[in-house]
Structures are given as structure tokens and as C-alpha cells.
Amino acid sequence: MVKKNACVFISGFGSNLKSLISRSRDPNFPVRISLIISNRSTAKGLLHAKKNSIPFVVIDTAKNNYEIIILNLLKKYQITLICLAGYMKILSNKFIKSFNNNILNVHPSLLPKYKGLNTFKKVLNNNEVKTGCTVHFVNEKLDSGKIIIQKVFYVEKKDNLKTLKDKTQQLEYKAFPEAIIKIYRKN
Ligand code: GRF
């Protein structure tokens, strides 16, 4: 199988990045992680890039033309899929359009419920019976693109912000690679 080149965008811890790198080692996994982009030089996730000798770039988002810099990098590394894994910057409409239908995001709720931040708090405040994660295509509206995959678990009485986050992330590590397999199986 000829693997496509994927770029993972991160801002923080990079645990989803870690799981994607690990899954991408499977020869049958449709993509290889060829580039990692972070908007924060202190992002812990960059360690996974270093450990696995994957090229990474820290982007200075204070620069007006930073998205053009990213697009040039994506071209250089022949990237055909972008995975947003905890990337905390909003991409411009122009950027999203130029990568139409090839940007995925993982979100820690069962979209369309609880778009944006503080999902676990909202889940607890609303006494949700179940929650989970969603991997979706990115469009011009926040957390609103077509859903590829969702994974669900039941909220327990003893759950708190931390346990909800842990349980959700455990599902994300499975959901993101599965979503990638699913979109390439279809095409
Ligand atoms: C993930 O849990 C995801 O739901 C959200 O950001 C978090 C990033 O975590 N979009 P990590 O950096 O992958 O550990």
C-alpha cells in the first residue's frame, strides 16, 4: 500500500499524536505522519516528534502570513491529510477551503452537543447520561463538519472532570485512527 502523507497539528500534550504515530507504524494503516506542526514551542507533544524522528515545525502565529507558511510546508512534505489533535488555533476559512475535506479534528464530546471548550464541565452540569468523542471533517463552522466516527460511554455518578477527560481520551486514541481508516476505505 502506498501511504499518504499526513500532518498532525498540536498545541499541547500530544497524546492523540502519540497514538496516531503508533498506529501509523502498521504497514496497512493508510497514512504516515510526515510532519508535525505546533503553534507552541513548549508543547509537550513535540517530544513525540523528536523521539520518532518526525520533522516538526513550531509556527509563530503572531505573523500575519503564518497560514501561508504552513501551506508551503504542507506542499513541501506532500501532505494530503491534516489531523487536528488538540490544536487550539482556529484555521481561517481560506485555509480550510484550500484543504477542502482533508482536515480532520477530534472533539471531546458527542457532537453536535457541546461544541467549543469546557465540554466535560457542560456534560456534568447537564447531568448527561452518556458522552464520548467525535472525529469529524473540519469546515468553516467550529466543530460542525461532517461526522466520521463517534465513540460513546456512560457517565457514572462518581465521574468528575478528570475521569471524564481520561475516559474520553482513551476513546479518542481509538477513534482517530479508525476515522482515518474509514475515510480512505471509502475513497
Ligand atoms: C483532545 O483530548 C481532544 O479532544 C481535544 O484536545 C485534546 C488534546 O489532547 N481537541 P492531546 O494533546 O492529544 O493529549
Side-chain angles (χ1 to χ4, degrees):
M1 146 186 285
V2 181
K3 288 189 181 233
K4 312 246 184 212
N5 292 311
C7 176
V8 182
F9 284 34
I10 60 166
S11 298
F13 202 67
S15 60
N16 276 281
L17 167 65
K18 187 180 175 201
S19 103
L20 285 171
I21 293 172
S22 145
R23 283 300 299 272
S24 67
R25 287 205 194 96
D26 179 341
N28 293 317
F29 194 70
V31 304
R32 81 170 67 82
I33 312 301
S34 306
L35 180 66
I36 292 158
I37 286 181
S38 172
N39 64 321
R40 289 182 53 231
S41 60
T42 52
K44 288 224 166 68
L46 288 172
L47 283 178
H48 301 299
K50 291 174 192 162
K51 262 193 213 159
N52 292 282
S53 307
I54 298 172
F56 66 92
V57 178
V58 176
I59 290 290
D60 180 0
T61 54
K63 283 187 180 160
N64 281 339
N65 64 340
Y66 83 89
E67 284 193 339
I68 293 171
I69 297 172
I70 296 180
L71 284 171
N72 286 335
L73 283 165
L74 298 175
K75 215 183 251 175
K76 180 177 163 195
Y77 285 89
Q78 301 183 318
I79 301 297
T80 50
L81 180 74
I82 295 174
C83 300
L84 304 182
Y87 183 64
M88 299 307 284
K89 275 303 273 189
I90 305 269
L91 297 167
S92 73
N93 289 350
K94 202 173 164 196
F95 185 97
I96 292 167
K97 276 203 184 115
S98 67
F99 240 82
N100 199 17
N101 262 344
N102 289 303
I103 308 178
L104 310 185
N105 181 46
V106 61
H107 184 78
S109 77
L110 296 175
L111 291 172
K113 276 195 168 175
Y114 310 132
K115 297 172 183 176
L117 299 173
N118 301 319
T119 53
F120 307 121
K121 204 170 169 188
K122 293 172 190 165
V123 165
L124 288 178
N125 287 348
N126 288 316
N127 291 316
E128 288 290 352
V129 174
K130 56 187 183 174
T131 186
C133 68
T134 304
V135 182
H136 63 94
F137 287 106
V138 171
N139 67 10
E140 291 90 335
K141 281 193 189 153
L142 183 71
D143 299 329
S144 298
K146 190 176 165 216
I147 291 170
I148 303 161
I149 215 167
Q150 291 189 307
K151 289 201 181 279
V152 183
F153 66 92
Y154 286 92
V155 180
E156 295 175 78
K157 276 213 174 92
K158 60 181 182 197
D159 274 322
N160 53 42
L161 291 178
K162 187 183 177 316
T163 60
L164 284 187
K165 183 179 174 190
D166 289 347
K167 290 178 188 182
T168 303
Q169 287 198 318
Q170 288 306 319
L171 292 183
E172 290 178 350
Y173 306 150
K174 295 191 181 119
F176 217 152
E178 281 178 26
I180 293 173
I181 290 169
K182 193 171 167 188
I183 61 168
Y184 284 107
R185 197 176 282 154
K186 254 186 166 179
N187 291 343

